[in-house]
Amino acid sequence: MKKFLSLLSTIALLALLSSCWSSIQPNASALCDSVLYDYDPNENIFYINAELMNPASKGASETGMNTSADLILKGKGKSPESAYEDISSALERRLLFSHNKARFISERLASDKFALESLFDFILRGATSDERALLFVVKNEDIENFYKSETGLQKLLGDYIDGLSKVQPEESSKGIFKNTLDFIKESGEVGREPVLGVLSVTKTDLKGSGNRGGGEPAEKSKEKFLLKAEGGAVFKNGVFTGYLNDKESVYYNILSNRSAFSTAEITTGGISATVGLYRPKTVIKAEIVNGNLEVNITVNARLRIV
């Protein structure tokens, strides 16, 4: 009995003494809110733009100082790991992607199978990354102004995209919101052509929030850019092949049961009306009939004139 009690006490003590080998104190870490990955196929160079939470902004706002809520750090290297190390070498804290809200990949990186597989290998094996972050494709021409874009009522672009993913599907199905792990799993399914959401940058004349550009006041900023989550990026055989427009992305969301609300224009007898589709549910059945493939698609939804 004494031996049993001693063994039980030892097991309980081991549970109290156990800890994570990679644990990091909050004051020793640099938290990444979003990250943009790019790739130059000619030079075989990976680029990382990491949006870090700026802890100095909170204290500055309390004293009336206008300090940006984020810090954009850039790194490059022959692999995602070396680009990560390039950023870390100039940072006094350990860079963490585990709190990352959104992850963005450039069109040219998505078009290169080696680059895409290298990035996903880095994400899946890295102790500092998280597969739950939302994943999007960014067009090559939008990369320069991407982190200059307005962030609505949020101070960080990652938080803005995270909020957009919760609100926009209830208002429109033009955007596609999918996390990194879901996309990787879909890429491994036979016969599946996965689709990612697309973020595009547009110039606007509207006054900005002043949250971007290193704390520059909105009225003094020369140009303002908005981010739009519309359309989709189609992948085949492990690489990006083309885009879906906003209407096609609505159809994709309906067929894949990812749509909460969408609209359609109906014209009859010279009269046009806008009809809302609420919570559509799609059932797809495929079968071989007389040697031919037949696909039956049934969509059930609540309709209402809006």
Side-chain angles (χ1 to χ4, degrees), residues 191-192 250-258 280-288 293-300:
R192 185 82 174 258
V250 171
Y251 303 149
Y252 169 80
N253 281 327
I254 293 175
L255 292 175
S256 59
N257 287 315
R258 306 179 69 90
K281 297 297 180 183
T282 302
V283 178
I284 302 176
K285 293 183 179 180
E287 56 182 345
I288 303 296
L293 175 64
E294 290 190 3
V295 180
N296 296 312
I297 300 175
T298 304
V299 179
N300 296 311

Side-chain angles (χ1 to χ4, degrees), residues 60-85:
S61 62
E62 293 174 353
T63 58
M65 295 177 61
N66 192 6
T67 302
S68 177
D70 64 358
L71 296 172
I72 308 298
L73 298 184
K74 300 180 179 182
K76 63 180 181 178
K78 289 290 186 179
S79 67
E81 291 89 346
S82 59
Y84 167 85
E85 292 174 358

Side-chain angles (χ1 to χ4, degrees), residues 18-35:
S18 62
S19 62
C20 179
W21 67 271
S22 60
S23 62
I24 305 172
Q25 295 299 323
N27 59 357
S29 53
L31 302 182
C32 182
D33 196 63
S34 69
V35 59

